[in-house]
Amino acid sequence: MLGFVIQRFLQAVVVMAVMSVIVFCGVYAIGNPVDIVIPPDATQDIRAATIAKLGLDKPLWEQYFLFVGNLLQGDFGRSFVYNIPVLDLIGGRLPATLELVLTSVLTATVLGVSLGIYAGYRPDGWLAKTIMAVSVLGFSVPSFWVGLILILTFAVNLGWLPAGGRGATVTVLGVPWSFLTLDGLSHIVLPAINLALFKLAMMIRLARAGTREIMLTDTIKFARAAGISESVILRRHLLKLISIPIITVFGLELGSTLAFAVVTETIFSWPGVGKLIIDSIAVLDRPVMVAYLILVAFLFVTINFTVDLVFALIDPRVRAGARA
Amino acid sequence: MKHMALLRPAAVALGMLAAGAASAQTLTMGVRGGPESLDPHFSALGSHAEAAKHIFDTLVWSGDDLQIEPGLAVSWEPVDEDTWEFKLREGVKFHDGSDFDAEDVKFSIERIPVVSGPTTTTIYVRRVKEVEIVDPLTMLIHTDGPAATLPYDFVRLFIVSSEAAADYSTPETAAEGFNSGMATIGTGPYKFVSWEPKGDLVLERFDDYWRGAGAWEKVIRKEMPNDSSRLAALKAGQVDVINYVSSVDYLALERDSSVDTIKGDSVYIMNLQLDQREDTPLVRAKDGSKLDANPFRDIKVREAIDAAIDRDTMVEIVLEGLGKPANQMMPVGFFGSNADIPMPEYNPAKAKDLLTEAGYPDGFEVDLYCTSDRLPGDGAICQGLGQMFSQIGITTNVNAVSKTVYFPAQSRLEYSMFMNGWGTLTGEASYTLGGLAHSNDPDVKLGAFNRIEYKNEDVDRLLEEGATMLDADQRRATYEEAMAKVMADKAYISVVQLQTVWAAKAGMLAFTPRFDEDTLAFFIKPAS
């Protein structure tokens, strides 16, 4: 086990190092951030002074090693645009993204797996067919469009829910959370639905496919022959057996949604990290971009690692394989 | 919008407390961009200054039409070649109750070069050599030579409290002190309550404001970069007023009785720029071979290009009416603009003749570059230009690219024909002509944004003279002459002037659009 952890950790370090080099060079290739942000009436010497102030006059390799040097001391640098430490900037917006993403991914998973199992258990019922039809919609309709339609329907025409932004927050453990207030909840509903729709469809499909396959296996036949009730079969045997692909996808989706909920965050003016990274790209705010992508790489490595551990806990076959 | 009240229990409760008071006490604004920090000296970005104007005052005020007016300074005059005297306003209070005086101005001017970020505010004080305090309400500003436009530079010189900001004036501490509110003490109409980067700026009325207390008790400035979301928030009743309504939405809103639209002229003008170097990278004969010379160096070719532009179609069709044809790089009426410059005539037949005379009867091929995400309609105007040029035989490959790609490439002089917007934010000509039309010469600090190597000896001379003329009338005539010469050379071809649209809940607000597109809560009044 320890060997496995160490191996994963080394992998993560390599991934993050490669990532930082790519982002660094990529941004450098696009151009000098100063050209985008400098005011039009700046004179030549002001421009040169600004470039020097940000350390952009140094050769690329030197800039990179300065960055890595600071990073190793836990300093991700300061945003060019906001002049505050990058970690504060990202950390300040992480709770917003976290609560939105967790709400939507958890809802999608719980609801999607239940509906999917039902659709796989009674594949010919009209309800199952309806569920599958709706799930096709969830896949095929672009999420920015759904977002705008949700706003138009529930915020503009019906006036039931707010059109965007994050509602009132309550500070718990020094972090402001909005899902603990009624106003906050009303704000989170639409973006969470918007974000959840695609995942819901995917979970339904995964659960249904798994259910149909497992229901035909000997495990289920023998369980039935032993006189175990259907609900126990579904809960104890089926759910465990279909959960491997679902957990894998859950992990990946959680990661990618945390990192790139950009479209939803933009449409609903949600003050999360996705919006931050897009805005940073628009002005080539390199410290934010590099730090953010490194954190994302770290996030994915961590999630994948966790997912592997969870497999071992849930599925006896995986445990057995590891021992053998 | 009868459901609106359901959404805002707080607003309902407030309304009840006010016992049926008709006017709302809170103004919620949905704006496209926000500040980058609450340190007013950190960034020269328009939306940054706009937010700062709620909390801080500037030494010189720039009015609705960008004319300069007294602000924290009541008067100013040059006392000799390189000294200006500023008289300060008496009785002005900071939000913490302390008095405003010359010490605060000196502190603010000297603080700028230290704390300024990449969108550098040092441009506002670049001419200042030394600040001398004569008495608490009089000061002498010594400049590095005659600085005729110093009062214009000071329209964005925000004054912070020399006491409150004393400990927050290094690059490391400034953001912390100002973003937390500890140093965010100004003399402006609103006091700081809270701010989140890219989020909401919450403000509270300052009752002792020298212009008189504002109409709104509380102001919330919400940052909503997405155009559709901003409009949806207005329609859903979450915000009272929004800026930068897109031209497509504008047409629909014109017919919507629940929303008022306010249209105003913008300072932004779209300028086509033609590279004047001997050898230019992105022009070739139609068969792909290299041309003998850069065609844009021939005035006939430049005239042909100008005559090929149908400005009326550009405004009516491409911009949906949200613009005006432009014939010079500044809105007519600004200091140094020239009302005698004629509007170029659209004449494709003449354009073809001119090309033939210039030795290009079959035209040539060029790559046209422009921004696609900086100003409303920039990409569409670019497409329009491409079609118009193709009609006279210049095969034009249109490349509307992100500003993150465009500006760095432009500064590396990689383009031959390119277009972007330019806003004369100070309202006077030295800002625009000094940056664009003078040859790029670091010694005289002019021409820093001349990316086409345009050089006209007469224009250079006029601009150098104008920069040092302290007599306003003489200076105005100089810049008018320079403007006429630059536009006649047609290396810069102005295409259209943009217009900006705000939208507000019907019948709720009285609002005068400003040329610089600022949305300022203090100047928005409840409709009576």
Side-chain angles (χ1 to χ4, degrees), chain B residues 269 271 326-332 336-341 483 487 494:
Chain B
I269 289 183
N271 297 312
N327 62 357
Q328 52 194 302
M329 292 193 278
M330 295 190 335
V332 177
S337 64
N338 190 327
D340 298 332
I341 297 176
M483 180 64 87
M487 297 325 290
S494 299

Side-chain angles (χ1 to χ4, degrees), chain B residues 228-266:
Chain B
S228 310
S229 310
R230 205 161 56 243
L231 182 60
L234 175 72
K235 289 190 155 186
Q238 272 190 299
V239 299
D240 302 317
V241 58
I242 59 171
N243 62 1
Y244 298 109
V245 173
S246 75
S247 56
V248 183
D249 293 331
Y250 171 65
L251 288 182
L253 287 184
E254 288 269 82
R255 296 188 294 272
D256 187 338
S257 61
S258 69
V259 170
D260 286 340
T261 51
I262 304 111
K263 180 162 103 167
D265 285 346
S266 145

Side-chain angles (χ1 to χ4, degrees), chain B residues 79-96:
Chain B
V79 288
D80 62 46
E81 275 281 282
D82 42 20
T83 311
W84 283 80
E85 185 191 65
F86 282 78
K87 290 272 185 201
L88 305 182
R89 194 174 292 277
E90 206 181 334
V92 174
K93 295 273 182 201
F94 278 103
H95 296 162
D96 60 2

Side-chain angles (χ1 to χ4, degrees), chain B residues 192-468:
Chain B
F192 169 84
V193 177
S194 68
W195 177 64
E196 193 68 45
K198 293 269 153 211
D200 298 357
L201 172 62
V202 182
L203 302 163
E204 186 182 85
R205 178 163 63 202
F206 175 46
D207 291 321
D208 295 329
Y209 185 46
W210 61 269
R211 277 193 175 102
W216 314 98
E217 206 161 89
K218 196 175 167 194
V219 170
I220 304 170
R221 198 175 172 284
K222 285 178 172 295
E223 216 177 309
M224 304 179 152
N226 184 280
D227 290 346
S228 310
S229 310
R230 205 161 56 243
L231 182 60
L234 175 72
K235 289 190 155 186
Q238 272 190 299
V239 299
D240 302 317
V241 58
I242 59 171
N243 62 1
Y244 298 109
V245 173
S246 75
S247 56
V248 183
D249 293 331
Y250 171 65
L251 288 182
L253 287 184
E254 288 269 82
R255 296 188 294 272
D256 187 338
S257 61
S258 69
V259 170
D260 286 340
T261 51
I262 304 111
K263 180 162 103 167
D265 285 346
S266 145
V267 282
Y268 282 95
I269 289 183
M270 292 291 182
N271 297 312
L272 184 70
Q273 300 162 60
L274 302 171
D275 189 14
Q276 296 300 301
R277 284 174 294 174
E278 302 262 345
D279 197 13
T280 192
L282 302 176
V283 179
R284 61 199 85 85
K286 281 186 174 170
D287 59 8
S289 62
K290 200 168 169 346
L291 291 171
D292 297 334
N294 173 3
F296 299 140
R297 285 172 65 85
D298 188 334
I299 180 72
K300 289 209 170 74
V301 174
R302 302 200 297 270
E303 282 174 347
I305 287 170
D306 194 22
I309 301 173
D310 182 353
R311 291 174 169 79
D312 293 325
T313 300
M314 208 59 104
V315 169
E316 292 311 319
I317 310 294
V318 178
L319 290 176
E320 312 272 10
L322 282 184
K324 289 175 172 177
N327 62 357
Q328 52 194 302
M329 292 193 278
M330 295 190 335
V332 177
F334 276 20
F335 187 97
S337 64
N338 190 327
D340 298 332
I341 297 176
M343 184 60 70
E345 188 198 355
Y346 170 55
N347 190 340
K350 188 182 137 207
K352 276 185 191 160
D353 291 345
L354 282 164
L355 275 186
T356 311
E357 280 175 43
Y360 302 98
D362 302 321
F364 49 86
E365 187 179 329
V366 62
D367 299 337
L368 166 63
Y369 276 85
C370 51
T371 57
S372 63
D373 54 1
R374 179 157 175 263
L375 292 168
D378 46 7
I381 294 169
C382 202
Q383 298 285 351
L385 285 177
Q387 289 179 19
M388 289 169 188
F389 299 153
S390 294
Q391 272 175 7
I392 62 162
I394 301 174
T395 305
T396 310
N397 310 313
V398 176
N399 297 280
V401 297
S402 167
K403 61 179 188 286
T404 49
V405 175
Y406 179 90
F407 284 106
Q410 196 215 49
S411 84
R412 293 191 297 256
L413 307 184
E414 285 175 6
Y415 297 153
S416 293
M417 180 194 244
F418 50 102
M419 184 202 76
N420 60 268
W422 179 278
T424 306
L425 293 166
T426 57
E428 52 78 49
S430 73
Y431 178 92
T432 296
L433 294 179
L436 290 171
H438 194 283
S439 53
N440 189 337
D441 186 349
D443 291 341
V444 292
K445 299 183 179 176
L446 288 169
F449 273 72
N450 180 350
R451 300 278 159 78
I452 56 175
E453 303 216 342
Y454 169 70
K455 184 176 172 70
N456 178 328
E457 310 271 351
D458 289 345
V459 171
D460 280 4
R461 182 181 47 80
L462 286 168
L463 293 179
E464 281 161 37
E465 284 171 13
T468 61

Side-chain angles (χ1 to χ4, degrees), chain A residues 7-281:
Chain A
Q7 185 199 349
R8 276 307 167 95
F9 180 75
L10 290 178
Q11 258 178 16
V13 171
V14 172
V15 167
M16 286 186 279
V18 171
M19 183 72 126
S20 66
V21 174
I22 293 176
V23 177
F24 230 85
C25 295
V27 178
Y28 189 82
I30 299 174
N32 192 334
V34 168
D35 286 324
I36 296 160
V37 295
I38 201 155
D41 47 352
T43 53
Q44 293 85 344
D45 49 344
I46 291 180
R47 182 170 182 273
T50 308
I51 290 175
K53 203 170 173 179
L54 294 178
L56 294 167
D57 53 341
K58 300 189 177 79
L60 181 63
W61 61 267
E62 197 182 331
Q63 291 182 42
Y64 180 75
F65 283 109
L66 273 176
F67 167 78
V68 173
N70 290 334
L71 191 64
L72 293 177
Q73 296 163 32
D75 177 8
F76 275 81
R78 277 169 182 265
S79 156
F80 291 162
V81 175
Y82 294 101
N83 189 32
I84 49 183
V86 170
L87 280 187
D88 290 358
L89 195 61
I90 295 177
R93 302 170 68 92
L94 206 56
T97 296
L98 213 57
E99 65 182 10
L100 176 64
V101 167
L102 283 178
T103 310
S104 68
V105 175
L106 286 177
T107 315
T109 309
V110 172
L111 206 63
V113 171
S114 323
L115 291 175
I117 291 180
Y118 178 84
Y121 186 67
R122 291 205 196 292
D124 300 322
W126 63 270
L127 191 56
K129 287 188 173 144
T130 317
I131 291 172
M132 295 321 289
V134 172
S135 81
V136 172
L137 274 186
F139 268 121
S140 46
V141 183
S143 100
F144 73 89
W145 185 82
V146 175
L148 289 176
I149 294 296
L150 285 175
I151 292 178
L152 211 61
T153 313
F154 294 101
V156 177
N157 289 334
L158 295 171
W160 293 350
L161 293 163
R166 196 173 178 220
T169 55
V170 179
T171 306
V172 178
L173 304 173
V175 182
W177 301 101
S178 75
F179 72 98
L180 298 171
T181 66
L182 201 62
D183 182 49
L185 276 180
S186 76
H187 280 82
I188 210 172
V189 174
L190 288 184
I193 293 178
N194 185 216
L195 210 52
L197 220 55
F198 179 85
K199 293 165 228 319
L200 178 72
M202 188 156 49
M203 287 300 176
I204 289 178
R205 305 221 130 218
L206 272 176
R208 175 178 177 269
T211 307
R212 295 207 63 179
E213 194 188 323
I214 302 291
M215 285 311 283
L216 301 175
T217 56
D218 294 342
T219 320
I220 304 293
K221 277 184 204 152
F222 286 122
R224 279 182 174 157
I228 300 175
S229 78
E230 285 292 292
S231 71
V232 174
I233 293 180
L234 288 186
R235 261 184 293 124
R236 198 175 295 160
H237 299 286
L238 178 91
L239 194 56
K240 267 192 182 173
L241 289 171
I242 64 170
S243 56
I244 291 257
I246 289 176
I247 290 171
T248 312
V249 171
F250 175 86
L252 288 176
E253 278 297 311
L254 186 67
S256 69
T257 318
L258 270 178
F260 308 111
V262 178
V263 175
T264 300
E265 286 187 2
T266 307
I267 292 178
F268 288 93
S269 310
W270 191 264
V273 284
K275 231 173 93 200
L276 175 72
I277 188 68
I278 283 294
D279 293 335
S280 303
I281 291 172

